[in-house]
Amino acid sequence: MGDEVSARPEGGLLVVGDVITDVVARHRGPLASSTDTAAVIRTLPGGAGANVACWAAEAGCADVRLLARVGTDAARWHERELLAAGVRPRLVVDPAEPTGTVICLVDGEAAAERTFLTSSGASLRLEPADWSEALLDGVARLHLSGYLLFAESSRALAEAALTAARARGVPVSLDPASAGFLARYGTERFLRFAERLDVLLPSRDEACLLTGMSDWAGAAARLSGLGPVVVAKSGAEGALVARSGAVCARVPAVPARARDSTGAGDAFTGAFLAALVAGAGVEEAVGRGCGAGARAVERVGGRPPRPDGDGRAPDAP
C-alpha cells in the first residue's frame, strides 16, 4: 500500500468528512470560574473534513470535492463558503439534526492552545445511502476524516468508501482527528481500519495513544509496520515520515507566530494531499504541509484566507 502513496498524479481529491460551525472564543489567561472572562468571539465555517478540502484548494488542487452532512439551519451558508474557497460541495441536508457546532476556547497566550466543546449534530449522521461509487469518478485520492469512525452510520459509510476506492486503485488517507474520541472508540478497532489505508496522518498525541508509546518517532514507526505510510505531525517540532516500520524522513516546522492553532493539522493535511495529487513525493508534500500549518496558526479559525475577506459571512448563523 505504501508504494502507492504518490500514484495517480492526475485527477481530483475527494474528501469525506464533517462540516461544522465554529464559535471561536479567544481569551487571555485562565478561564475565571463562576464569573466573566473577557474574550473575542467569532462565528466561522469549520469542520475537519471541510477545512482539509479548503486548504487543498488553497494549495492549488484544481478539483477538490467534499461529501458531508449538514442541517437545514446553516446549509446554504456552508455551501457558499465552500464554493468561495474553491471546493465542490456535496452536502446532504439532514432533516432532523442541526449542523454540528464546535465551541473553540483559544488561549490567547503564545502557544495559542485550544479546547473544543463539540456537538456533532448532523455531521456524524452520514450513512451508506449518502455514498455513491460515482463520487470516485475522476478522483486521484480519497481522504477520510477520522471523525467518521466515531458513529455507527458514518463508520459504515467510511467502510463503503474505503472498499470502493481500493477496488478502483485509488489511494486512501485518514487523519485520526481526535485523541479524546479515539480513546473512547478503542485503539484496536481503529488499527484494524488503518491497516487498509495508504496514508495515516496522526498527531503526536494520537500516534502515542494508538501504540501506547511515549516516543512519537517510535510510535510512528510502529504504526507504519501495519501497512500505511505514516506522516506524524507535532506542531513546532515539524513532522516525520515512517514506512515499513522505520522513520525515513524528518521535516522541520516553518516558524510562525501563533494566534490560533485551530485547524493547523487540517491545513497540513490539505496542502500535503494537494501536493501528492500534483505528483510530489511524500517528503516534499510534508514540507508543503508544514508551510500551510504555519500559515494556519497565524490566523483565527480553521480555514485559509479568502480573496474577498476573512471567511466570516455577514449572515453567519
Side-chain angles (χ1 to χ4, degrees), residues 122-286:
S123 65
L124 297 188
R125 285 166 58 88
L126 276 170
E127 59 187 15
D130 299 328
W131 174 255
S132 166
E133 292 197 17
L135 290 169
L136 291 171
D137 291 348
V139 166
R141 305 196 67 86
L142 168 66
H143 179 72
L144 303 174
S145 169
Y147 283 112
L148 295 169
L149 301 185
F150 304 141
E152 184 176 353
S153 63
S154 57
R155 185 164 59 249
L157 179 140
E159 289 279 359
L162 175 61
T163 299
R166 290 188 60 79
R168 290 197 183 199
V170 174
V172 184
S173 56
L174 181 140
D175 187 323
S178 168
F181 285 164
L182 187 58
R184 290 192 290 275
Y185 176 67
T187 58
E188 291 301 320
R189 295 174 71 192
F190 181 89
L191 291 174
R192 286 196 293 271
F193 188 91
E195 289 175 348
R196 293 173 287 161
L197 299 170
D198 297 278
V199 182
L200 179 65
L201 295 128
S203 68
R204 179 189 190 120
D205 290 345
E206 292 157 358
C208 291
L209 173 64
L210 286 168
T211 59
M213 301 174 68
S214 58
D215 170 38
W216 72 299
R222 179 174 293 181
L223 288 171
S224 72
L226 296 174
V229 169
V230 173
V231 176
K233 305 162 288 183
S234 189
E237 295 183 73
L240 54 82
V241 181
R243 289 179 183 264
S244 304
V247 173
C248 57
R250 294 176 181 264
V251 179
V254 174
R257 183 176 179 180
R259 295 182 65 207
D260 176 9
S261 57
T262 303
D266 301 332
F268 178 103
T269 298
F272 169 80
L273 293 172
L276 290 185
V277 169
V282 174
E283 189 170 344
E284 179 185 349
V286 170

Side-chain angles (χ1 to χ4, degrees), residues 20-32:
I20 295 289
T21 299
D22 284 343
V23 180
V24 182
R26 297 183 72 244
H27 60 93
R28 288 195 173 274
L31 296 173

